[in-house]
């Protein structure tokens, strides 16, 4: 079961050269720890969307050791990105990487519950949802009022390894589908899914 | 040979409800004539990118009967989109559809050589390349100086039904690959490929 033809994905990946040594280091670490990072195909896409949007405030839910956050930070001109993870170990690693890449002044780092941390922020320009898959719907419902006008909501893993096609999907998959349907059916959002890697939902607050 | 798993594509397509009756009419016509339109998955993506970018000037190369142009026009607040096609019949149809959708005042229509028409415009914010596949590289080289700062270049069909993987690609495929490599290797652009449908290249002028 695959989403994009693996040979096609390989073709795109070869074209997508990453020169930033910190990102390369993070990719190595992700590989070594078998830690699910968004990978460079999604990373470059997030980077470009951020460049086009030019946000002041990006809030991530579920930052791991900071791979996606690093792509956001690289794309920011005068904004900042809020990283959070429930594991202190991950956030410490993220801080190290951001220091290495001279991006530390574009970011804030928190350990704890992603939603509680995010809820402190108003006028979020980009909300990136990538924490526990069963909490995506709760996340958008909790944070909808914290979004700025025309804010973007970007959610990773919405195709969930193709399990969204299962006739009897497991609980996590059902939750992801509920979130996805909520976004597509909600007149406050204009939504599409970009089938990069594990599926990226991109929505704009109307 | 497929790019995105067809069942996944179908899952996304079902979610992507289109209510605009003119777009539905255009999709029917595309189906009837077997005319290659970008389809609603790419259309919705173009729409969202345009909403995020908020361009003043969108220039299309190869508009057919106006399906992609219509999505661009729908997303414009105070800009305009330039449509061109070498067939008068196509442009006449496009005009009719834009009238039906009350979008005629957001568009200009031309019959003739897409590059010559586009070359008349300065400060292009979004250049959409979708004309003869063998002329993509010529198009960007001809129009690079006509792009505004931070302009977006979006090109359809860059995965060309997967033929980019062929060991001995035909001439058209080679031309598409030359264009793609040019974009990825050119330091004036930041580029990614989004594997929606037949592959959409998205680049930002640095």
């Amino acid at each position: 079961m695959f989403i994009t033809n693996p040979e096609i994905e390989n073709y795109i990946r070869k074209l997508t050269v990453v020169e930033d040594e910190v990102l390369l280091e993070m990719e190595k670490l992700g590989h070594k720890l078998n830690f699910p990072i968004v990978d460079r195909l999604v990373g470059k896409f997030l980077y470009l969307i951020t460049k086009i949007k030019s946000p002041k405030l990006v809030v991530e839910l579920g930052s791991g050791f900071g791979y996606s956050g690093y792509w956001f930070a690289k794309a920011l001109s005068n904004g900042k990105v809020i990283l959070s993870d429930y594991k202190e170990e991950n956030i410490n690693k993220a801080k190290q990487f951001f220091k290495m890449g001279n991006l530390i002044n574009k970011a804030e780092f928190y350990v704890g519950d992603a939603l509680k941390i995010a809820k402190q922020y108003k006028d979020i320009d980009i909300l990136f949802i990538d924490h526990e898959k069963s909490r995506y719907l709760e996340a958008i419902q909790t944070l909808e009022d914290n979004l700025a006008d025309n804010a973007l909501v970007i959610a990773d893993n919405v195709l969930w390894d193709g399990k969204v096609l299962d006739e009897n999907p497991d609980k996590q998959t059902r939750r992801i589908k509920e979130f996805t349907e909520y976004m597509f059916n909600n007149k406050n959002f204009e939504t599409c899914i970009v089938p990069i890697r594990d599926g990226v939902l991109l929505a704009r607050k109307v």
Side-chain angles (χ1 to χ4, degrees), chain A:
Chain A
M1 176 67 201
F2 50 83
I3 289 161
T4 304
N5 184 321
E7 286 182 67
I8 289 286
E9 206 163 277
N10 198 33
Y11 171 76
I12 303 175
R13 190 168 283 114
K14 272 188 191 162
L15 287 162
T16 312
V17 176
V18 170
E19 287 173 348
D20 186 316
E21 288 184 15
V22 182
L23 282 173
L24 295 173
E25 199 66 41
M26 291 169 109
E27 289 181 356
K28 264 190 218 161
L29 182 66
H31 191 72
K32 188 178 142 197
L33 302 178
N34 198 22
F35 190 98
I37 59 174
V38 298
D39 108 344
R40 63 175 65 184
L41 297 192
V42 176
K44 188 85 178 274
F45 179 73
L46 297 177
Y47 172 88
L48 273 167
I49 292 293
T50 308
K51 279 282 188 182
I52 300 168
K53 171 73 178 161
S54 221
K56 289 211 180 69
L57 180 60
V58 180
V59 173
E60 282 201 329
L61 310 178
S63 296
F65 59 76
Y67 185 77
S68 53
Y70 192 97
W71 279 103
F72 281 120
K74 259 177 95 76
L76 291 172
S77 45
N78 64 356
K80 64 181 174 177
V81 54
I82 313 304
L83 288 84
S84 66
D85 203 87
Y86 66 100
K87 277 195 176 173
E88 189 164 7
E89 191 191 342
N90 288 336
I91 287 297
N92 285 340
K93 280 190 191 122
K95 279 184 194 166
Q96 280 177 1
F97 286 124
F98 275 65
K99 272 180 204 157
M100 281 166 65
N102 286 320
L103 292 172
I104 196 85
N105 58 349
K106 291 189 176 178
E108 290 176 18
F109 301 85
Y110 297 94
V111 177
D113 182 89
L115 289 197
K116 278 188 197 154
I117 294 159
K119 194 65 193 163
Q120 312 299 313
Y121 290 89
K122 300 275 171 207
D123 293 324
I124 297 169
D125 295 304
I126 298 182
L127 176 67
F128 182 60
I129 306 180
D130 194 20
H131 63 323
E132 301 103 299
K133 306 307 152 193
S134 55
R135 297 185 69 198
Y136 276 29
L137 182 58
E138 180 194 356
I140 190 62
Q141 288 176 332
T142 304
L143 295 170
E144 211 163 323
D145 291 340
N146 296 54
L147 299 176
D149 289 345
N150 305 312
L152 301 182
V153 176
I154 308 177
D156 194 30
N157 306 109
V158 296
L159 296 172
W160 204 224
D161 208 18
K163 280 184 275 190
V164 292
L165 300 175
D166 288 355
E167 272 191 44
N168 294 303
D170 60 27
K171 196 176 164 187
Q172 228 171 8
T173 309
R174 288 203 307 274
R175 290 277 176 277
I176 289 174
K177 289 180 81 168
E178 279 164 23
F179 164 75
T180 303
E181 283 158 23
Y182 177 85
M183 293 302 292
F184 272 93
N185 295 331
N186 189 327
K187 298 285 179 201
N188 295 332
F189 292 103
E190 296 171 324
T191 302
C192 76
I193 290 178
V194 179
I196 315 181
R197 215 187 47 109
D198 201 24
V200 177
L201 180 142
L202 171 66
R204 176 180 165 272
K205 191 179 166 188
V206 179

